[in-house]
Amino acid sequence: METIEQRSDIRSFFIAATPAQVFAAMSDPDRVARWWGPDGFSSTMYTFDFQSGGSWVLTMHAPDGTDYPNESRFTRIVPDALWEIEHLNGHHFTLTLELNPSGVGTEVCWRQTFDTVEHYQALATFVAAANQQNLERLAAEVLR
């Protein structure tokens, strides 16, 4: 049986801000549009119904001009603590961000879980770089 760890990109990132400050940048669609996606990408938000079961529809714009439509559903939201989506189109995955107080800041635990090990391994190199960039961009947005 394939474990979650075998089919997930799991990482953590420290942000020198409270969980509430980090969560504020994760729950405001204008702010999410500034940090969501790998370096060089921008996002156009269409729907951001920030509640469990709510829809999130956006288009990510790559630096080369390619557009990537995205549709997700918020599956779990715990204010100042947890944000989870199920990505519904293209590559299917669940993304969980947990916010844990840590000293003078917050440890953001990021877990992107695919349906199979094979699916994850096909994307692992890209996903690892993109997720690290997402976390760095989130930190920059929180601290701006």
Side-chain angles (χ1 to χ4, degrees), residues 38-123:
D39 289 347
F41 279 68
S42 63
S43 295
T44 301
M45 301 289 203
Y46 301 107
T47 305
F48 193 83
D49 183 13
F50 194 67
Q51 62 180 329
S52 292
S55 179
W56 179 19
V57 179
L58 73 145
T59 298
M60 291 175 46
H61 311 287
D64 68 4
T66 304
D67 288 337
Y68 296 94
N70 282 259
E71 181 179 356
S72 297
R73 178 177 54 92
F74 292 102
T75 54
R76 291 190 301 162
I77 297 172
V78 178
D80 303 339
L82 184 128
W83 181 98
E84 183 176 85
I85 62 168
E86 177 184 14
H87 190 263
L88 301 170
N89 69 319
H91 299 287
H92 184 261
F93 59 83
T94 299
L95 175 63
T96 306
L97 280 75
E98 292 183 50
L99 308 179
N100 299 307
S102 177
V104 294
T106 302
E107 194 70 30
V108 180
C109 297
W110 178 292
R111 185 179 71 228
Q112 184 178 13
T113 303
F114 292 86
D115 295 334
T116 65
V117 170
E118 180 181 34
H119 189 186
Y120 168 59
Q121 288 177 341
L123 301 169

